[in-house]
Amino acid sequence: MQTGKPLSRETAIHHLTFISDVFSYAVRMDIVSDNPCRKVYVPKGGKKEKEIYSIEEIEQLFKLLENAPLKYRTFFTLAVYTGFRRGELMGLEWKDIDFESGIVSVRRTSNYTVKTGIYTDTTKTKSSQRSMKLPQLVLDILKEHKAEQDSERIKLGTKWFECDRLFVTADGHPMHNNTTYNWLRKFCKKNDFPFRDIHSLRHINHMKTSL
């Protein structure tokens, strides 16, 4: 059936194999002298381009996030304005933020394996250890997030796990790297909003909006 769409790589390989077998038989029967398919190859398909949010979609998303839990609003605000990787964001500690100068520094990453669990690691490369200036609106939400976290720490007392991370569970342990991904996916579904991979937020950190 003709659909007007190009053949998939698997289908093209199947057709090429069939035609090559026909020519190979023809060579054995002395009908032709060579199999022209020997020099034919099917190129690998290009990587599918990732969809990213437009500036307009980000503005809509942030309006929806106004009523979301503060730690998630903080995470996605940082993701957009810094362009840091998810592991870098999860690895941020409060000592990495200088509220006086407005500078945030990446010094480590938070990773996870089934065998090890959540663990702290160095950044991918030395150049990944970097600092950047944050706009005031980001600093404001960070201060709000820290005040809320400090309140929870006091409330739980000795039950609170001290790790200094920005993003933690209800009792202070480092948050799993997939938590924000799963939360955003459910949040978008609940609000009938398109879901994009969190990684896509890194590509729009230089945008100029009034989020």
Side-chain angles (χ1 to χ4, degrees):
M1 182 176 66
Q2 295 184 354
T3 62
K5 296 181 180 180
L7 295 176
S8 67
R9 187 169 188 271
E10 291 75 15
T11 301
I13 291 175
H14 173 76
H15 290 338
L16 177 61
T17 300
F18 174 76
I19 296 171
S20 180
D21 288 345
V22 171
F23 273 106
S24 293
Y25 178 77
V27 170
R28 291 198 300 272
M29 295 293 102
D30 293 324
I31 298 174
V32 295
S33 60
D34 188 30
N35 181 353
C37 292
R38 289 189 305 105
K39 298 180 180 180
V40 178
Y41 74 97
V42 179
K44 294 182 178 180
K47 290 184 177 179
K48 186 178 179 181
E49 187 174 344
K50 288 187 176 182
E51 293 183 330
I52 64 172
Y53 286 117
S54 65
I55 291 178
E56 292 74 20
E57 286 176 327
I58 283 294
E59 291 175 337
Q60 294 171 24
L61 177 61
F62 270 70
K63 287 178 181 178
L64 291 172
L65 287 170
E66 288 178 0
N67 297 317
L70 182 57
K71 67 181 175 183
Y72 291 110
R73 276 198 289 133
T74 305
F75 177 87
F76 294 115
T77 298
L78 274 175
V80 168
Y81 279 93
T82 65
F84 294 164
R85 297 178 178 88
R86 178 169 45 173
E88 294 171 341
L89 289 167
M90 287 298 188
L92 286 175
E93 297 180 0
W94 289 111
K95 60 177 170 285
D96 300 323
I97 300 173
D98 186 332
F99 284 102
E100 288 190 12
S101 64
I103 300 292
V104 59
S105 302
V106 173
R107 298 188 175 101
R108 74 198 68 77
T109 64
S110 181
N111 300 312
Y112 171 85
T113 63
V114 175
K115 183 179 180 179
T116 308
I118 298 173
Y119 67 97
T120 301
D121 199 1
T122 56
T123 53
K124 281 189 172 182
T125 62
K126 195 170 183 179
S127 62
S128 295
Q129 295 184 12
R130 59 204 185 280
S131 300
M132 70 178 299
K133 180 83 172 178
L134 294 173
Q136 190 59 47
L137 69 89
V138 180
L139 291 171
D140 288 343
I141 194 171
L142 281 169
K143 290 176 182 177
E144 190 180 351
H145 174 48
K146 189 175 190 309
E148 182 177 271
Q149 194 178 98
D150 288 342
S151 177
E152 289 300 311
R153 178 186 293 107
I154 294 171
K155 188 185 301 183
L156 286 182
T158 57
K159 294 181 180 179
W160 180 268
F161 180 83
E162 293 288 350
C163 71
D164 198 44
R165 290 282 179 88
L166 267 67
F167 302 106
V168 297
T169 60
D171 62 356
H173 283 81
M175 186 186 287
H176 192 289
N177 282 28
N178 287 337
T179 299
T180 51
Y181 176 94
N182 294 329
W183 184 90
L184 181 62
R185 183 174 56 183
K186 293 176 182 177
F187 180 81
C188 289
K189 184 177 181 180
K190 179 181 178 181
N191 290 277
D192 194 25
F193 190 80
F195 172 73
R196 308 278 190 262
D197 191 288
I198 290 177
H199 181 78
S200 69
L201 298 176
R202 295 187 60 215
H203 299 287
I204 52 178
N205 63 300
H206 298 300
M207 69 181 187
K208 302 296 183 181
T209 70
S210 57
L211 298 178

